[in-house]
Each structure stands twice: as structure tokens, then as C-alpha cells.
Amino acid sequence: QVQLVESGGGLVQPGGSLRLSCAASGSISSIGAMGWYRQAPGKEREFVTAITSGGSTNYADSVKGRFTISRDNAKNTVYLQMNTLKPEDTAVYYCNAAIALHTWSRRYDYWGQGTQVTVSS
């Protein structure tokens, strides 16, 4: 079994910062890309950012220049530093990772339980 556990969400004022963490645990052989998605009330889940095992990154236009993704491969952990937060960033943020349980198997997508980020004065 594999678990992705997020932490670091909360309430922050506009212009503030938060740092999310997501740690993968369990019987893991390898992890490929890791990323973050978010879902605001009444909207579909949307891509925020992703990072490959080699460190290449990709960002949604709405967060470019404000959010930074990073990972610690030794800890199977991905981070999301969110700066200059706006009310429209309010959402449940979900961690995603492509994980293989065995050296001979393909990777499958796993999801965290989500962490609430609220940007409000």
C-alpha cells in the first residue's frame, strides 16, 4: 500500500505565503513525476504544477512566478511554496505522484487526501 500525506494548508491573508508538503510512504520501488492539483468549490480539479524525478518543472499560467515546486527524492517528498497568495487560490490542494511498487511494474497515479488552503482577509 502507498499513502500520500499532505500537510501545511490553512488560512492566510492575501499577499501571504504558505508551504505545502506531501510525503509518500509504503512499499515504493520508484517515483516518477510528482505534482499538485487543486479544486475550488463548484469547479473541476485543475493542474497547478508538477516536477519530474530529474527536477524539470511545469506550472499553470495562473501560478507562474508565485508558486515553486520542489522535491526531496531521498524523503519521497514534494513541496509547494506558495507566495503572493490571492483569494482565487482558495481551494483544496491535492498531491499526485506516479509510483511503481515493483521494479518490473509500471507506475500508477496516487493521490493524497487533500489539504485546504483559504486566502481571505
Side-chain angles (χ1 to χ4, degrees):
Q1 284 77 10
V2 171
Q3 277 193 315
L4 296 180
V5 179
E6 299 124 333
S7 60
L11 173 64
V12 63
Q13 292 187 343
S17 298
L18 279 176
R19 188 188 193 214
L20 306 183
S21 300
C22 172
S25 63
S27 180
I28 297 171
S29 175
S30 67
I31 303 178
M34 304 182 80
W36 294 91
Y37 289 70
R38 66 185 182 186
Q39 187 167 17
K43 294 187 177 181
E44 294 188 351
R45 189 173 298 188
E46 64 175 5
F47 170 79
V48 177
T49 180
I51 184 169
T52 67
S53 57
S56 297
T57 59
N58 189 26
Y59 294 92
D61 287 343
S62 59
V63 306
K64 279 181 182 176
R66 300 188 298 122
F67 290 11
T68 302
I69 189 171
S70 60
R71 65 189 283 172
D72 184 334
N73 291 331
K75 295 181 179 180
N76 290 341
T77 299
V78 63
Y79 306 96
L80 180 62
Q81 178 65 44
M82 304 185 292
N83 298 329
T84 319
L85 283 160
K86 305 175 181 179
E88 51 263 44
D89 294 318
T90 296
V92 177
Y93 283 70
Y94 296 91
C95 172
N96 168 267
I99 296 174
L101 303 185
H102 308 283
T103 56
W104 43 262
S105 67
R106 55 161 284 187
R107 292 180 180 135
Y108 292 88
D109 275 342
Y110 288 84
W111 294 87
Q113 80 287 354
T115 185
Q116 177 69 47
V117 171
T118 303
V119 185
S120 174
S121 54

